[in-house]
Structures are given as structure tokens and as C-alpha cells.
Amino acid sequence: MRKQAVLITGASGEVGQALIRALAEDEHKRLLTLDIRPLPADLRAQVDPVEGDLLDERLLARLVSEYEIDVIYHLAALLSTRSEFTPDMAHRVNVEGTLNLLKVAAEQTEWRGRAVQFLFPSSIAIYGMPDRESKELYQRVREWEWNQPRTMYGCNKLYCELLGSYFSQNYRQLAARQPLMLDFRCVRFPGLISAFTLPAGGTSDYGPEMLHAAAQGKPYGCFVRAEARIPFMAMPDAVHALVQLAQAPRSSLSRLVYNVTSFSLSAEEIRRRVLEAFPNAQITFEPDRPREAIIDSWPADLDDSAARRDWGWSPHYDAERAFNDYLIPEIKKRYHDVQATQG
Ligand code: AKB
């Protein structure tokens, strides 16, 4: 008899680890986690951890033979900067990996006669503001505006949104009998900042990197100019958005893809908040112009009114609360513990 489970891919990543901690509180849910990297030891006992490659279709077939998958949180991805150095691998992981999983979800939906729910985190990277003037003029971008990504990662994410819509609405549309469709739901995240983990290979990483470097007493050269501005979100709100969207009645959703955001800050405004907490921090601006150009192509802010209207989205952490109640206290504790153990 197969075990019912919630599948989390990319489980060892930043969002994955935060999502496991949130979902593991509900002991009625069995969590099946998949990542090419090992799961941190403190999380392994709470889940069924699997180390493997999303591109390995035989592995996916084995998992489906052992588990009845109700919900998929598909978090595995190569982020924007890393994807620029390995665009072919980014396409394989971000697109082919997602397609493999959508096919599994579609087959399982048909097989069990009930829609598998597929939660997909997209990104502000799917937007492409053509120049700084447009970014300044059109600050709060709506879901259907400026969908011209500049990066391979942004192209991957936008195409996967379209794949998810296809598998949710038109899959096998010419077949003699219309199959039951999977339940694809997507949020477009801004830059995410965690107190507990550091991102790897993203272009919005300068926000968390600046904070974590200051907390460790390390100098930090920010790779965008002081005025560069994009929307950000504290990691607890990213998990909150995914879980809240998953719990929304399908009938309340007017769209499959939603913007969500919490606060927009310039790099200088982040620096000021970091210096308030770490007055001795050495933070300089040393723009890497190609990486800065990617940030300049992303919108200054997102219009998340559709998510607020359809499923009651509202961030728990605005900038004040994110820094004062979550990031600074938790990061101070994290590095104090680290320094204490290192002596
Ligand atoms: C990245 O910088 O690539 C990600 C993102 C904004 O999706 N953090």
C-alpha cells in the first residue's frame, strides 16, 4: 500500500528547509523530500529524505511506486546568476526537471482520480524592465506586464509557468476523453532573505549577503550600486505565501500565477538597517555592472493585489518587522552560537 505524502523538491535549499520546518509541525503530513544535496541532519528525522536527481525519471518512477503524492512543492532550481554561467544545465534542471515532475503529477492525477496540487515558486526574474527610466516610471508591476526576462533563469521560470498552465488546463486536449487536470498554483517571489541560510547563485543575494557578512564581522563589497532597488521578502513570509496559496479553495483563484511581495528597499536602505544593528560593519559598493544590469531589469516593486483579493495574502513582515523582529535578532543569535562553539 503506497504511503500518502507531500513531496518537496529542492528540500536542502533555503526555501525548502524553511518549508520543512513549517510543514513538519503538522504530524498528519508525511513529508517526502528530494534534493541532489543531503538534507541538514536536524531535518532528516522529520521527513522521508531522498537524495537524487530530479532528472532521473527512474527515481521519480520509484518514488511514485512507494508514495501516493498529494501535493508537490517544486522548489528545485538553479538561480539567476549561476544559470548565466551554465545556461544549458539551467535549462535542464529548471525546465526539463519541472516537465518531468508535471508529467508525474498529471499521471498521478489521472490514476487516483483526484488532482495533485503542484505549488511552483516563480520569480521577479520573469520581468524585464527595458531601462532604468521605465523601472522608475512603472514601479508596481502587475502579473501580465513586462514579461520579457533578461536571464536564462527568468526564461526558464516564465516557460515553466506556461507549462503549469498547460498541464492545468489543456493537457491532452485532443484526446478522446478529457483527463482530470492537476492543480497548478504559482507565486512569483521577490528576493528572499533568511536569518538561517544563505542563498547560492542568486542575483538578489546582495541583500542577505550584506547582512550575514556584517553579523560575522566580515567586510562586504555590494555588487550593485546604492540606489539599486528591488522588492524583498523575509523567508517566513515566503513559506506563508506557499502554504496559504495551497490551502485556498481552487474556486477562489482567478489566475494560476500570482505576484507576492513584502517590502522594496534600495541597497543603501538595506545597508543603513544593517549598520543600525552592526555599527562596525564595513559595507562598500563595488558594482559588478553585468550583475547590476540584471537587477535593473527587475521591477522596483510588485502589485500583489490579485493575491490579496483572491486568497487573502498579506505579509506578516514589512521592512521594520523583518529586520527588527526576525533578521537581526535571529542572525545575532545564530552567529553568537557559532562563535561560542568556535571559542
Ligand atoms: C535570484 O536572485 O536568482 C533569486 C530570485 C530573485 O528569484 N533569488
Side-chain angles (χ1 to χ4, degrees), residues 14 78-83 121-126 151 153-154 157 188-192 199-206 208 223 230-232 291 294-295 298:
E14 285 205 279
L78 295 188
L79 298 183
S80 56
T81 291
R82 188 170 164 204
S83 294
S122 185
S123 162
I124 49 173
I126 71 93
T151 60
Y153 169 76
K157 284 293 186 181
R188 285 183 187 152
F189 280 141
L192 300 181
T203 314
S204 64
D205 294 0
Y206 61 88
F223 58 78
I230 58 168
F232 283 95
R291 282 184 95 183
I294 291 175
I295 292 295
W298 294 352

